[in-house]
Amino acid sequence: LKLNANQNYGGANIGFAGEVVNFSHPTAVNATRLVVNPSISYPLVSQPAFYVTPKISVHSAYYAMGANNTGSLQDVSNTLPIFSLDSGVALEREGNMFNSAYVQTLEPRAFYVYVPYKDQSQLPNFDSAQADFSITQMFMENRFFGSDRVGDANQLTLALTSRLLEPENGMEHLKVMIGQRISFSTPRVNLVTPATTTNKSDILLALAGRMTRHWSL
């Protein structure tokens, strides 16, 4: 059972996400999990050309352990604050290519996340897994899917995007994006042993283009 709500009040975006899940299995550990995740974000700067938006949220999970419990897992809760700061700039210039007018953008973006460390090894894990590192995941606050793990973080993601747009309707013909995540402290919450100890991620490159009216790559 899920409940989600969002409300804009005085320029601030107030959000709430909550769920109750009953995990039942004839032989595995059973539990009822309650998760609440309230959040508030407020754009300190919100202009057509640039933005700065801080966000504070709290992820709280409570487990009521059920049948088939060996005794090692008791009713337990886990609460962690999450802070993020998203900022970016959109610069534009007009040009001409192949006798066609276009608008080229240059969009640097910086995304910072801080989550304090808390030992979660004694918590049950029903549906969490570590997300693959990707262009989309670079801008997520939690490096885990599911609600059983919240990854500690003190990290900054830097990315640069450039697009070629039609000036009349904004149709995107080409998009190039490059990005990297830098961690200021080594993450300690893991479901699998990290393959590397470096605090710099791989550099990711994304390329998308509209080849014809009906085909894109």
Side-chain angles (χ1 to χ4, degrees), residues 3-6 14-19 35-39:
L3 175 64
N4 297 292
N6 281 281
I14 301 172
F16 176 85
E19 67 173 12
V35 176
V36 294
N37 184 17
S39 65

Side-chain angles (χ1 to χ4, degrees), residues 116-138:
Y117 168 75
K118 186 175 182 180
D119 183 13
Q120 301 167 52
S121 60
Q122 300 303 312
L123 296 177
N125 182 16
F126 293 106
D127 61 6
S128 279
Q130 193 150 339
D132 291 332
F133 186 62
S134 65
I135 289 288
T136 301
Q137 202 278 328
M138 281 200 307

Side-chain angles (χ1 to χ4, degrees), residues 17 86 117 124 166 176 179 187 189 192 205 208 211:
D86 196 5
Y117 168 75
E166 286 190 16
V176 181
V189 178
V192 296
L205 175 67
M211 301 174 61

Side-chain angles (χ1 to χ4, degrees), residues 55-112:
K55 178 183 176 183
I56 298 176
S57 62
V58 176
H59 184 280
S60 184
Y62 173 75
Y63 299 84
M65 305 308 298
N68 303 321
N69 186 5
T70 61
S72 61
L73 295 175
Q74 306 296 325
D75 291 357
V76 65
S77 63
N78 182 46
T79 300
L80 279 167
I82 301 172
F83 171 77
S84 66
L85 181 66
D86 196 5
S87 61
V89 180
L91 307 174
E92 295 183 353
R93 71 171 184 175
E94 297 181 351
N96 191 283
M97 182 180 294
F98 304 118
N99 297 321
S100 298
Y102 69 89
V103 173
Q104 181 185 10
T105 71
L106 190 64
E107 307 166 41
R109 181 180 179 184
F111 181 66
Y112 175 76

Side-chain angles (χ1 to χ4, degrees), residues 18 21 37 40 64 86-87 116 159 164-165 169 172 186 198 200 205 215:
V21 186
N37 184 17
I40 181 170
D86 196 5
S87 61
L164 288 181
L165 310 174
N169 51 30
E172 183 179 282
T186 302
T198 179
K200 290 185 177 180
L205 175 67
W215 291 86

